[in-house]
Amino acid sequence: MREYEYIILGGGVAGGYAVKEFVDRGVAPGKLALVSADERLPYERPPLSKGFLTGKKKEKDILISNEAFYAKRGIDAHLHTHIWRIDFYRRILYPKAGEEFSFRKLLLATGSRVRTLDVPGGDLENVFYLRSFDEALQIREAALGGGPAVVIGGGYIGLEVSAHLAELGIDTTLVVDGDTLLRRLFTPEMSQFFARYLRERGVQFLFNSHVTELTGAETVEAVVHGTGEPLPAGFVVAGIGVEPVVDLYRSAGLLAGDGVGVNEYLETKAPDVFAAGDIAVFPDSLDGHPRRLDHWDNAMQQGRHAARNMLEQKTPYEHIPYFFSDVFDLSWEFWGETDGADRIVYRGDVEGGSFSAWWLSRDRLLGAFVLNRPEAERELAPRWIRERKEFSPGELEGNDAFSTIETHSD
């Protein structure tokens, strides 16, 4: 049996950054192990739908830490290791093959898996998803053959993949089951701006269209949808969401909703067992409500925070949800949330592509979106959300009002 003081189960973003934090905090060689079903060391996920997809980044560019980092610091990385059972009482991980692992403290960071198309033809060749390094490679190789490409899903993956495929010169159509892009975030005005921007750069759209079938002999040839003629497809990329990988924890009673429940210190109900990243359902530091986030920033921050708490430097996890995305030459950021908002204030020019949007509930700021705006707006947005700042009607509109607010909030 391999014995460790600390084990990280999962080789995604949360696991990779937890390793870095352990090292930064001086963990001794031989005390820490990463156990991962992946065949590669932890790597950044955002570039998979951005620079890596277009070939601008290589594998070495997206590794969180390289092999030499692990070797130099005496950290064991057990890759391609599938754990089929955890004995939380005896503190043992049981792999499908090889020696068991014992731990004193354990971090659960098994991340998410993609949701797959449940339609006839969903198992045809050249139907891809985008969650892993290998899947990004497959899409890159398919793109070398030209197109056309059909992308399914109007979320982050759908927008980014569509933009970057069009950037590569691929004839690309984005199929959206609804009338709005990123419907949990974008307002109709924001969706219209981004759809127009992508359309001007070669992306075609089918809104309010539900995919019913993929056709072809062995390889996909067309996408059948509910609003017209089948779309020819040399390959398909589906970005229809993810679900947390929590099967190992059901029998231990660790689940809360669709993830693993943790307290403010990221501790589960099992003694000395923590959870971080996509699987963690944690108490929101703003309102105390349980929240689960599947995005890079939260996984990175929670992985680091869990490592510190495992090293007896316990502090509550306090975090303002943060998201970012790139499409063509646009980069935008969002902080907070939109649920419960009763008022939205725009600043700048939505149609012109230099604007911010501010979501409020009873005059308290809940969330803020910033695209091509002055630096003060992106700096103040998370601070105001954290402070639960209130704005009277009209206070956020206009540059003069904004400069006044900036002065008062110092």
Side-chain angles (χ1 to χ4, degrees):
M1 182 179 296
R2 306 293 296 270
E3 298 180 356
Y4 295 97
E5 188 83 358
Y6 310 102
I7 290 181
I8 300 166
L9 179 60
V13 170
Y17 277 98
V19 169
K20 287 179 69 70
E21 190 68 25
F22 271 111
V23 168
D24 290 346
R25 301 283 167 168
V27 69
K31 297 291 186 181
L32 172 65
L34 177 82
V35 178
S36 172
D38 207 326
E39 296 182 2
R40 290 179 172 79
L41 290 170
Y43 51 88
E44 305 284 14
R45 304 294 168 135
L48 297 182
S49 57
K50 302 178 179 71
F52 185 78
L53 186 65
T54 58
K56 295 176 182 177
K57 290 184 179 291
K58 303 182 185 302
E59 180 177 4
K60 64 181 180 63
D61 300 324
I62 67 173
L63 284 175
I64 295 172
S65 302
N66 61 25
E67 189 173 348
F69 176 93
Y70 285 77
K72 182 178 179 180
R73 292 156 180 85
I75 302 162
D76 290 344
H78 300 277
L79 303 180
H80 200 54
T81 301
H82 297 263
I83 301 300
W84 70 275
R85 185 167 75 88
I86 303 175
D87 188 328
F88 290 99
Y89 177 74
R90 297 177 61 201
R91 305 188 184 209
I92 299 175
L93 305 180
Y94 294 90
K96 291 182 178 179
E99 288 184 273
E100 292 86 7
F101 303 94
S102 72
F103 61 88
R104 188 174 74 84
K105 293 188 178 182
L106 174 66
L107 174 59
L108 307 176
T110 42
S112 296
R113 65 169 70 93
V114 295
R115 292 195 177 100
T116 58
L117 292 167
D118 185 18
V119 297
D123 56 351
L124 289 170
E125 293 181 13
N126 276 12
V127 177
F128 304 115
Y129 303 88
L130 184 53
R131 187 69 180 175
S132 71
F133 179 93
D134 290 335
E135 289 165 335
L137 276 182
Q138 291 169 356
I139 296 170
R140 271 173 52 172
E141 291 173 4
L144 292 176
V150 176
V151 181
I152 301 169
Y156 290 97
I157 294 296
L159 254 67
E160 292 177 358
V161 170
S162 296
H164 291 302
L165 289 178
E167 189 178 1
L168 292 171
I170 305 297
D171 181 7
T172 304
T173 301
L174 178 58
V175 180
V176 183
D177 186 9
D179 58 2
T180 307
L181 298 171
L182 275 176
R183 58 188 171 197
R184 293 184 60 183
L185 172 60
F186 284 0
T187 64
E189 295 85 355
M190 293 165 66
S191 177
Q192 289 167 15
F193 163 74
F194 277 95
R196 183 177 68 253
Y197 186 89
L198 267 68
R199 194 176 285 117
E200 290 171 351
R201 287 154 181 80
V203 179
Q204 303 170 66
F205 288 88
L206 273 180
F207 286 100
N208 294 309
S209 190
H210 182 68
V211 172
T212 57
E213 185 180 2
L214 307 181
T215 62
E218 296 181 355
T219 301
V220 67
E221 297 176 7
V223 174
V224 180
H225 56 97
T227 57
E229 293 294 321
L231 294 170
F235 64 97
V236 170
V237 182
I240 54 176
V242 298
E243 56 187 18
V245 179
V246 296
D247 302 333
L248 276 172
Y249 322 129
R250 295 185 190 282
S251 61
L254 301 186
L255 300 194
D258 62 348
V260 175
V262 298
N263 63 14
E264 68 270 30
Y265 303 108
L266 304 180
E267 298 170 311
T268 72
K269 292 179 180 178
D272 294 321
V273 177
F274 297 71
D278 292 4
I279 67 171
V281 178
F282 61 97
D284 190 297
S285 59
L286 293 177
D287 58 21
H289 294 158
R291 177 188 292 275
R292 189 183 68 79
L293 296 172
D294 45 36
H295 195 266
W296 174 87
D297 181 67
N298 180 67
M300 182 269 290
Q301 298 281 3
Q302 280 193 345
R304 285 191 174 276
H305 201 92
R308 292 194 293 272
N309 285 352
M310 291 169 74
L311 290 165
E312 306 297 347
Q313 301 168 10
K314 285 177 61 172
T315 57
Y317 179 68
E318 297 179 351
H319 178 62
I320 302 299
Y322 170 71
F323 303 86
F324 66 90
S325 185
D326 302 312
V327 290
F328 291 104
D329 56 352
L330 294 182
S331 295
W332 57 261
E333 297 172 281
F334 174 80
W335 298 266
E337 62 178 338
T338 61
D339 290 345
D342 54 33
R343 181 159 63 97
I344 300 173
V345 174
Y346 295 106
R347 291 178 46 76
D349 180 10
V350 177
E351 291 189 3
S354 174
F355 68 94
S356 56
W358 307 75
W359 286 260
L360 300 102
S361 173
R362 298 181 180 179
D363 298 329
R364 178 172 69 84
L365 184 64
L366 298 181
F369 171 99
V370 178
L371 170 67
N372 292 335
R373 295 294 295 164
E375 187 69 13
E377 294 195 20
R378 68 174 303 279
E379 290 181 355
L380 288 169
R383 189 171 110 193
W384 285 342
I385 294 168
R386 186 177 297 108
E387 294 172 351
R388 305 170 68 86
K389 190 170 179 61
E390 295 185 359
F391 298 90
S392 59
E395 195 175 4
L396 271 172
E397 290 89 333
N399 291 329
D400 292 341
F402 190 85
S403 62
T404 301
I405 294 167
E406 182 178 354
T407 301
H408 289 330
S409 60
D410 289 339

